[in-house]
Amino acid sequence: MPRYVALVLLAACSTHEPPPWEAYEPWSDAWVLAHAETYVGDREARRDAMEASLTNPENLYGQARLGAYGLREGGWDALPEWQPRVEPLTDAHVDALVAGERPARPTTPFWNEETPTTWDEWSALGERVFFELPLRDEALWEPVVRDAALAARVGLVKDGDSWPGLVWVASVDGGATVGITCALCHVGVREGALEVGRARRELDYGVAQIESAERRGVTLDPVTRGRFESWGPGRADVIEDVADTPIAIPDLWGLREQRLLTQAGTLTHGDPMALAIRQETQYVQANRGRTRPPRVLMFALAVFLYDLRTPPAREVSDAAAAARGEATFRRECVRCHALSNGAGGLVSTAEVGTNPELGDGSARGTGGYRPSPLLRVVDAAPYLHHGAVESLSSLLSATRDEPGHDYGVGLAEDEKADLLVYLGGL
Ligand code: HEC
Ligand code: HEC
């Protein structure tokens, strides 16, 4: 770099230019997009944003990032960018697999390397990332898609002739296999229709692993098998490095309002960089630290998540009962479920009293749980961070077995009934 350019740059830094987003209303589309260039191009700003996003820098999640993300030299920034050759998995691939053939290896790179300029372009690119950019390849799904009954049993879904969440991806060894994307866990079904952003509560990863192993002639040791059996549908152990903490998959609506991400509030969501970094580092870890995703794609993914539309609320049958229920909610619940989407600030595990393993755990623990968002909560069963309570009435029941979150259990029966009507319309 010529000397005068360096001097000009130095001068620009020392005058403390206001950040490009300062001119906009926080969380507006323009404010979100104004972070793109800084996230993609400014390592130091990314490092700062990562540090600011760690609710508890001491846990393993925080330590891994502090040790490897946004370093001046080496670490995850130095990994090669992964531009996979990939296509959506379709019936044509599956038919070939059933016939004992290997479908052709995809040849088109995922992305043309053009940076979007408008909101809609960013969101459209992010949608492709969400559905098609594999977190990693997972050959375990091959025997599952070959058996339609098993595929349905473990919660795979079809959209026309494609399989949302599954792709066909070229592998390093010159072949190709099935890969998984965000849509595997974050596209769900309500009354027969697919909804993007809804948790895939039918997905039974554990049974998929067991059945796939059997079909491939792999013998699982009893401990591993027991773990897979214990997960149940709609829960996934997304923590790579600890034994067994299956977590309920959350719905992804209303993320712009969410100041804490994940059930234990592991991330503080102060700006879009926090979410883009979450996704970037999720890809790195899913790939076991071998590659990193292009950052433009991670920002696009964040924009797409912010752009997700919450499906319409259900009709409330009895407006008077809902109004009474709302009054109860304000009295008993809103001190924690304070935001307009129902979420709120961290509550200590001791206070909420639910199973503390995740919240106090060394992996992602923060000492607490975030009050769950309550958007469309009536369709979000089972409840709590580990999906341990099967219905809203059971959550409000004084005779429930699962400990913790005792709020409202002492209400009179008619008050509970009204509260349930109110919750049903959220
Ligand atoms: C194997 C299933 C699975 C896949 C695949 C998956 N997720 Fe998730 N996702 C989860 C689970 C489980 C959680 C809850 C984690 C926790 O609370 O610690 C979660 C949490 C999240 C959250 C936090 C939401 C909130 O309310 O705080 C976001 C955002 C998210 N996922 C986005 C994505 C994106 C984007 C992808 C693709 C890159 C993806 N997920 C892939 C299962 C999955
Ligand atoms: C002291 C704070 C606090 C109060 C008061 C409180 N909640 Fe919660 N709520 C939480 C926390 C924290 C969680 C998440 C706990 C977990 O996952 O282990 C939660 C979870 C929930 C969930 C689960 C949602 C899901 O998708 O899993 C529902 C439903 C809920 N609360 C409803 C209520 C209602 C109704 C009231 C009032 C009767 C109430 N809460 C009062 C803190 C509170």
Side-chain angles (χ1 to χ4, degrees), residues 274-358:
L275 181 56
I277 292 166
R278 174 189 194 268
Q279 299 314 150
E280 183 185 347
T281 57
Q282 180 180 14
Y283 270 92
V284 171
Q285 291 193 312
N287 258 304
R288 302 202 167 70
R290 285 173 304 205
T291 59
R292 68 176 178 83
R295 277 188 202 103
V296 167
L297 300 185
M298 297 300 101
F299 197 83
L301 184 54
V303 171
F304 175 67
L305 297 178
Y306 294 136
D307 212 19
L308 286 174
R309 295 289 136 84
T310 312
R314 287 183 183 268
E315 227 36 73
V316 166
S317 52
D318 181 344
R324 290 191 301 270
E326 181 172 8
T328 306
F329 186 82
R330 295 200 170 284
R331 197 180 70 230
E332 306 281 339
C333 320
V334 95
R335 69 184 166 99
C336 296
H337 295 276
L339 298 174
S340 59
N341 69 354
L346 208 62
V347 179
S348 74
T349 52
E351 177 164 10
V352 68
T354 51
N355 182 321
E357 247 169 73
L358 174 69

Side-chain angles (χ1 to χ4, degrees), residues 135 180-182 185-186 205 236 238 247-252 255 258 260-263 275 278-279 282-283 301 305 364 370:
L135 277 160
I180 64 163
T181 71
C182 313
C185 298
H186 293 295
Y205 223 120
V238 289
I247 311 175
I249 307 168
D251 295 329
L252 296 183
L255 281 182
Q258 213 117 283
L260 290 170
L261 296 179
T262 80
Q263 313 266 10
L275 181 56
R278 174 189 194 268
Q279 299 314 150
Q282 180 180 14
Y283 270 92
L301 184 54
L305 297 178
R364 296 184 181 198
R370 140 193 106 178

Side-chain angles (χ1 to χ4, degrees), residues 22-57:
E22 202 161 274
Y24 305 103
E25 175 68 21
W27 297 102
S28 64
D29 293 358
W31 185 84
V32 168
L33 285 192
H35 290 77
E37 214 175 307
T38 305
Y39 163 68
V40 172
D42 185 337
R43 178 198 60 78
E44 238 170 289
R46 262 189 293 116
R47 173 78 191 182
D48 291 347
M50 181 276 292
E51 289 181 8
S53 74
L54 301 174
T55 307
N56 170 17

Side-chain angles (χ1 to χ4, degrees), residues 82 84 86 132-141 165-167 169-170 177-182 184-185 205 209 231 236-240 282-288 290-291:
W82 192 41
V86 62
E132 294 174 29
L133 187 72
L135 277 160
R136 57 167 170 253
D137 47 62
E138 248 187 36
L140 79 91
W141 295 102
L166 298 180
V167 290
V169 55
T177 185
V178 173
I180 64 163
T181 71
C182 313
L184 181 67
C185 298
Y205 223 120
Q209 304 253 19
W231 287 2
D237 190 352
V238 289
I239 302 176
E240 312 267 334
Q282 180 180 14
Y283 270 92
V284 171
Q285 291 193 312
N287 258 304
R288 302 202 167 70
R290 285 173 304 205
T291 59

